[in-house]
Amino acid sequence: MAKFSPLMVLPVVIFAGFAGLAFVGLKRENPDGLPSALTGRPAPAVEVTQLGREKVFNDKDLRDGEVKLVNYWASWCAPCRVEHPNLEKLAESGVTIYGVNYKDKPSNALKFLEELGNPYAAVGADESGRMALNWGVYGVPETYIIDGEGKIVLRFAGPITSRVMESTILPAIEAAR
């Protein structure tokens, strides 16, 4: 008969620990939500360059008294393609959207807009990713709702699907007004 050793219990204890962490993670209210230290604070500086001949936006545009969205996107981003029709719906409904093209080749970004349409009131390029870093962007797509005073009301990481638009984006826009 094998002699009992405390090391024999170690795999079970490790498994139970991982299972406990997974259970706690699944019980979170919004497992996809990523916290933003900037919510409720003024939006960081706009540091974009012009993308082709597209109209560019600046800090003053974020503080014009109107609610708007700032959307980080890239032509190489598959989820950006998924959310694009919903951005167009928002723009058609009168929501001002400013686009920040993130770490992309200008020619590819312009081709993306030509192919799928341009929902942006103005768009700029963040080729180095410096502005995204200052805004706390984790990846693209990522969207910020900005109130009329230029404060961040909501940060949403991931593609804006129809469900997200109805349950999260539109209510946050209304609350910001």
Side-chain angles (χ1 to χ4, degrees):
M1 187 169 194
K3 191 174 182 181
F4 176 77
S5 167
L7 291 177
M8 294 172 71
V9 181
L10 189 60
V12 174
V13 171
I14 291 172
F15 175 77
F18 282 130
L21 287 173
F23 179 76
V24 170
L26 291 173
K27 288 293 186 182
R28 288 189 336 183
E29 189 173 309
N30 182 3
D32 293 325
L34 295 170
S36 175
L38 299 177
T39 301
R41 298 178 66 196
V46 173
E47 301 173 27
V48 293
T49 57
Q50 190 163 11
L51 180 64
R53 293 184 177 173
E54 298 294 327
K55 181 180 175 188
V56 73
F57 68 103
N58 59 38
D59 285 321
K60 186 178 174 185
D61 294 318
L62 298 186
R63 292 154 181 82
D64 66 358
E66 300 294 324
V67 176
K68 75 270 310 146
L69 273 62
V70 174
N71 174 256
Y72 284 82
W73 64 280
S75 65
W76 46 262
C77 164
C80 296
R81 286 185 176 272
V82 170
E83 83 169 355
H84 204 80
N86 291 317
L87 293 177
E88 290 199 307
K89 287 178 189 173
L90 284 168
E92 288 168 8
S93 73
V95 175
T96 300
I97 307 172
Y98 295 121
V100 180
N101 181 245
Y102 176 75
K103 291 188 175 182
D104 206 351
K105 292 181 181 175
S107 60
N108 292 346
L110 293 167
K111 183 178 177 186
F112 178 96
L113 293 176
E114 184 179 318
E115 179 185 326
L116 298 178
N118 186 349
Y120 304 114
V123 63
D126 183 15
E127 291 181 59
S128 70
R130 180 74 181 157
M131 180 175 157
L133 183 66
N134 292 340
W135 281 61
V137 171
Y138 284 86
V140 291
E142 200 159 303
T143 304
Y144 293 81
I145 297 177
I146 312 294
D147 72 10
E149 296 175 3
K151 290 182 186 168
I152 296 175
V153 174
L154 175 80
R155 172 188 167 269
F156 184 80
I160 296 174
T161 62
S162 296
R163 190 178 99 228
V164 166
M165 191 162 58
E166 294 299 323
S167 68
T168 306
I169 302 300
L170 292 175
I173 289 171
E174 285 305 312
R177 289 185 174 149

